[in-house]
Amino acid sequence: MAALVFFRKIAEEADTVVYAFGEDSSEMTRQLIMDKGNRRSRSGDGYVDHSFLKASRKINSMYDRASEWPERGMSAS
């Protein structure tokens, strides 16, 4: 069974990037806040689960490749 998580950038400040994310591209109701300095993420609702971890890892991976915060993306496993 495949696990999917979608994300899209909804805000960017000097220190943080905020992403909406979820398991359905039409219902990304949760938020992930990425600290640009240390590249650590936190959940907007305080709930850390598999979807949150997948989104965070994929965002960091895309940043590693492009040296810029991605506008959107998805992770599948």
Side-chain angles (χ1 to χ4, degrees):
M1 180 179 205
L4 298 172
V5 65
F6 298 87
F7 56 88
R8 118 181 107 72
K9 187 190 311 182
I10 57 174
E12 184 168 1
E13 303 291 327
D15 300 344
T16 59
V17 184
V18 180
Y19 288 92
F21 76 97
E23 295 176 359
D24 185 326
S25 63
S26 64
E27 292 185 30
M28 293 185 279
T29 58
R30 297 182 62 201
Q31 288 189 353
L32 180 151
I33 300 103
M34 184 68 70
D35 183 303
K36 289 179 172 182
N38 61 21
R39 293 175 52 187
R40 290 188 181 166
S41 57
R42 60 185 159 81
S43 172
D45 59 10
Y47 185 60
V48 175
D49 62 357
H50 186 69
S51 294
F52 170 82
L53 294 172
K54 283 182 68 60
S56 179
R57 288 181 188 133
K58 184 65 173 190
I59 290 166
N60 268 311
S61 172
M62 291 174 75
Y63 180 84
D64 282 342
R65 281 181 268 153
S67 296
E68 62 184 34
W69 298 104
E71 292 296 320
R72 63 181 57 244
M74 71 164 290
S75 179
S77 60

